[in-house]
Amino acid sequence: MISKLRDRNAAALAVAFFFFGVGAQAADAEAGRVKAQVCAACHGNEGTSSDPALPSLAGQPAQAIAMQLYQFREGNRKNPQMSPMAANLSNADMNNLADYYASLKATPPKHQSSPASKASGPDLAKKFNCSQCHGPALLGQQHIPRLAGQQPEYLRVQLKGFKAGTRSDMDGNMTAAAQALSDKDIDVLVDYLAGLGAQ
Amino acid sequence: MTHLIAAAIAAAFAVPVLAQAPASPPPSWHQGKPPAQQESTLHPFAPHMTGRSAKDLPVNTLKAPEGFKVEVWTDGIPEARSLALGDKGTVFVSNRNAKSVYAVVDNGGKREVKTLFTGLDAPNGIAFSKGTLYVAERGRITRHDGIESKLDSPGEGKVVVDNLDPNRAAGHFWKFLAMGPDGKLYFNIGAPGNIVMPSYMEASIMRVDPAKGVLETVALGVRNSVGFDWHPKTKELWFTNHARDWLGDDSPNDTLHRVAAKTVPNFGYPFCHQGDTLDPQYGKNRSCAEFAKPALKLGAHIAPLGMRFYNGKMFPAEYQNNAFIAMHGSWNRTTKQGYNVMRVSFDDKGQPKMQPFITGFMTDEKADPPMWGRPVDLLVMKDGSLLFSDDYNGILYRVSYSKK
């Protein structure tokens, strides 16, 4: 896909094709790939992180990536590493990066969930309404990120941040959802989600 | 074996956990979802906060009636929502999540987008009158006098009225704002959820004299209006209203309303929807007879937003005093509808009739998402052309007419 997009004619054809698809993005994934070279230091080659505290980006919905880059740039979401990275990105840069990472296939996670988490995780994801927005398979949709196979310590920090009301939240729904989570719930959900294999 | 034991322990453990600990509240748009629809995967659509470039979108597939042309006026205004026109031709653009207000200046066909304000709290409502830009945020309205002469350094505004969102509830907290022919600012205060009993001020249209800051109620029982205007001849207020979700694909209708009475009409929410349909919960032991009726049913979940009367000089004579409505489009419907600009004309008796005007944003009524753009608000320009905004992509379109 990416190599084909290097050819201008193929790119034009691809764009023309996208016009008749629904929800297809026509931003420039190849430009995103070039821009993403600096991202690989933390997010891994091909968007698969090997650090439990840093999120994988491969296979995330494009809109979810663009949304978070936007939140970092606007100062709504803050992080010592990411805020400066996003500060100088244009909207077009963000769309291109988003398309590049969305075009990559998520690799099956290395994390192995405990049998206990595997058993109770699906019920917790339903009880705490995770699947209502992140989708039945927790693969994310539109601006909502994929949770399946995400790095565990990253997930834990986000959930605790939502619970504490310190993590940016476009519409308040994640902050509200996180209030009912106990530390034990977070442990189980994180262990379950991090090991959830690619579909 | 170890795994089996662990799973058994986990299963035994999971039951009391589920029984005792409180569950998370569902997302706010789920409120009122009946048990029969618990498995529904319908969900709202979020705008592209980084916008999308018009060159990447099938804008040439938009359709307009014969003689009309629709084109991109400018892109690159992420989440473009409400529109207002300055005396000197500045087009002001608001948004809901992006916390900003923009000014678009037309320098001889080359349009420049300036960011006027940032860091606002859901500044969806904007209105321009006599040199002043008014901005309605979630909880207050501010005024910015002489704005068009200081677009590069607008400074701080003055507060007209505040405490408009005392409950800080989820739901419909963003406001539409317009200046009435009586010199008062009109705005909605939406219901704090899909189907809930509103507290004081909520589910209403209010007005305030900017010189006094005293609120007056204009209409009650209005779940959420995000568009209104005054008929150019009768000077009566007309507004669009969003009906509740989760009662099925075809009921209740979103509605168009006329405020004719000198008294304050109540349009029924949360007891009665579309003037004739009792709510399954709040409507028990009630009758729709006690509530004012809508002027027109627009379609279920179609999401009417901006509504403006046309009194420009460019369109054919039969368009005079017609209304245009921007349909943001349905999410709470298995087969989607809307995502277009509709025209409302009136017969000899003043009865409204609706027909499509600009279509083509929706490409597959069964897809998720079904559309590539979503109309929000409309603006009649000085030359009689019609602008409309698309918050999904951050684009303004211009509709013009010429006799061939």
Side-chain angles (χ1 to χ4, degrees):
Chain A
M1 173 82 181
I2 299 305
S3 60
K4 273 184 198 164
L5 281 176
R6 286 179 187 150
D7 182 299
R8 272 170 190 269
N9 292 331
L13 277 175
V15 167
F17 174 75
F18 281 164
F19 279 179
F20 300 98
V22 168
Q25 300 263 324
D28 190 342
E30 169 59 14
R33 187 189 67 79
V34 173
K35 200 93 189 169
Q37 286 170 2
V38 66
C39 313
C42 291
H43 294 285
N45 289 322
E46 305 282 293
T48 300
S49 162
S50 53
D51 184 332
L54 297 170
S56 292
L57 304 176
Q60 287 284 349
Q63 204 176 337
I65 292 173
M67 168 72 89
Q68 291 311 316
L69 287 171
Y70 169 86
Q71 299 288 14
F72 280 120
R73 186 187 64 195
E74 301 299 309
N76 300 329
R77 186 178 173 189
K78 292 185 174 70
N79 177 278
Q81 278 78 45
M82 270 311 295
S83 296
M85 297 298 288
N88 295 316
L89 294 177
S90 68
N91 286 333
D93 290 337
M94 293 181 179
N95 290 344
N96 294 341
L97 284 165
D99 267 29
Y100 167 64
Y101 281 116
S103 75
L104 301 174
K105 200 167 165 18
T107 52
K110 291 207 170 72
H111 181 89
Q112 294 289 321
S113 310
S114 74
S117 299
K118 274 188 192 168
S120 57
D123 284 341
L124 284 187
K126 202 166 179 183
K127 172 188 170 186
F128 292 113
N129 284 299
C130 310
S131 45
Q132 294 288 2
C133 295
H134 294 273
L138 302 162
L139 296 174
Q141 53 184 347
Q142 299 182 75
H143 66 302
I144 314 272
R146 173 190 179 117
L147 304 178
Q150 189 52 281
Q151 289 290 357
E153 292 315 307
Y154 172 75
L155 289 174
R156 189 188 315 279
V157 168
Q158 305 317 306
L159 284 173
K160 292 198 165 176
F162 282 123
K163 190 177 178 187
T166 54
R167 165 71 151 82
S168 77
D169 184 2
M170 187 177 88
D171 51 17
N173 285 324
M174 262 314 295
T175 302
Q179 296 313 304
L181 296 173
S182 68
D183 285 353
K184 168 73 181 162
D185 295 328
I186 291 177
D187 288 343
V188 175
L189 277 172
V190 163
D191 186 38
Y192 164 64
L193 293 168
L196 204 52
Q199 299 293 304
Chain B
M1 187 62 188
T2 324
H3 283 192
L4 281 179
I5 292 168
I9 291 169
F13 204 79
V15 173
V17 165
L18 289 177
Q20 287 167 10
S24 293
S28 50
W29 46 271
H30 261 246
Q31 193 272 322
K33 194 176 187 178
Q37 292 203 54
Q38 279 312 308
E39 299 306 315
S40 167
T41 55
L42 298 176
H43 58 86
F45 305 116
H48 290 272
M49 294 305 293
T50 43
R52 293 200 292 180
S53 175
K55 70 175 167 49
D56 294 338
L57 297 167
V59 290
N60 57 355
T61 62
L62 290 174
K63 290 188 188 70
E66 177 132 17
F68 288 91
K69 181 175 145 193
V70 56
E71 62 196 317
V72 172
W73 195 67
T74 187
D75 61 0
I77 311 179
E79 216 208 352
R81 296 262 309 177
S82 305
L83 303 172
L85 182 62
D87 290 337
K88 296 177 184 169
T90 310
V91 172
F92 298 96
V93 189
S94 78
N95 49 48
R96 190 169 83 193
N97 299 299
K99 306 182 179 183
S100 306
V101 174
Y102 303 97
V104 187
V105 183
D106 194 342
N107 298 318
K110 191 166 180 287
R111 277 145 219 131
E112 185 188 357
V113 181
K114 297 168 187 273
T115 302
L116 276 185
F117 309 112
T118 57
L120 303 182
D121 192 0
N124 186 73
I126 48 173
F128 185 93
S129 177
K130 295 178 182 166
T132 297
L133 178 71
Y134 298 90
V135 178
E137 295 173 71
R138 178 175 186 149
R140 65 175 191 169
I141 298 172
T142 52
R143 63 180 297 155
H144 306 267
D145 298 329
I147 187 75
E148 283 189 287
S149 57
K150 51 182 184 184
L151 294 176
D152 292 312
S153 53
E156 293 278 310
K158 292 184 201 131
V159 175
V160 171
V161 61
D162 59 8
N163 197 35
L164 298 179
D165 183 31
N167 299 320
R168 295 293 300 181
H172 309 98
F173 50 78
W174 56 96
K175 292 173 173 50
F176 185 81
L177 185 70
M179 177 62 81
D182 54 3
K184 293 178 179 175
L185 288 164
Y186 286 66
F187 57 96
N188 65 303
I189 299 184
N194 173 34
I195 184 70
V196 289
M197 195 63 208
S199 74
Y200 82 103
M201 294 205 299
E202 290 169 337
S204 70
I205 292 177
M206 311 284 288
R207 71 181 170 200
V208 61
D209 182 339
K212 293 181 181 155
V214 178
L215 299 179
E216 299 169 292
T217 308
V218 175
L220 292 169
V222 180
R223 181 176 172 276
N224 194 34
S225 173
V226 200
F228 33 85
D229 198 8
W230 288 263
H231 191 283
K233 284 263 165 42
T234 68
K235 306 297 179 196
E236 287 171 335
L237 172 68
W238 289 70
F239 69 90
T240 57
N241 183 33
H242 290 220
R244 67 159 294 182
D245 295 317
W246 301 120
L247 285 186
D249 272 12
D250 296 317
S251 178
N253 275 259
D254 294 340
T255 41
L256 178 66
H257 295 264
R258 179 172 66 107
V259 180
K262 295 282 182 199
T263 54
V264 176
N266 186 320
F267 290 103
Y269 179 90
F271 310 104
C272 171
H273 309 298
Q274 65 172 41
D276 58 12
T277 302
L278 288 170
D279 188 79
Q281 179 188 356
Y282 291 93
K284 284 206 170 77
N285 308 318
R286 300 294 290 250
S287 164
C288 282
E290 71 174 289
F291 300 110
K293 303 273 183 265
L296 189 65
K297 294 174 186 173
L298 302 177
H301 312 294
I302 201 164
L305 293 180
M307 186 234 113
R308 309 273 184 183
F309 285 100
Y310 184 80
N311 56 354
K313 298 283 183 276
M314 182 187 282
F315 293 2
E318 61 265 31
Y319 282 80
Q320 276 301 309
N321 304 326
N322 283 192
F324 291 105
I325 302 178
M327 300 295 187
H328 206 221
S330 61
W331 65 263
N332 190 232
R333 196 170 199 274
T334 52
T335 304
K336 303 295 188 285
Q337 65 173 352
Y339 309 102
N340 44 31
V341 177
M342 302 296 279
R343 171 192 174 194
V344 176
S345 55
F346 300 85
D347 68 14
D348 296 344
K349 293 173 184 161
Q351 290 304 305
K353 192 181 75 173
M354 186 167 72
Q355 59 188 291
F357 185 61
I358 305 295
T359 59
F361 287 107
M362 185 167 73
T363 46
D364 181 349
E365 62 187 15
K366 294 285 191 187
D368 181 5
M371 77 301 169
W372 58 267
R374 305 185 85 179
V376 177
D377 196 15
L378 306 143
L379 185 66
V380 180
M381 299 291 277
K382 279 183 186 151
D383 66 357
S385 63
L386 183 73
L387 291 192
F388 68 93
S389 57
D390 162 11
D391 65 343
Y392 195 66
N393 300 304
I395 295 176
L396 303 188
Y397 305 86
R398 176 179 185 262
V399 184
S400 56
Y401 177 82
S402 65
K403 279 179 232 163
K404 285 282 155 73

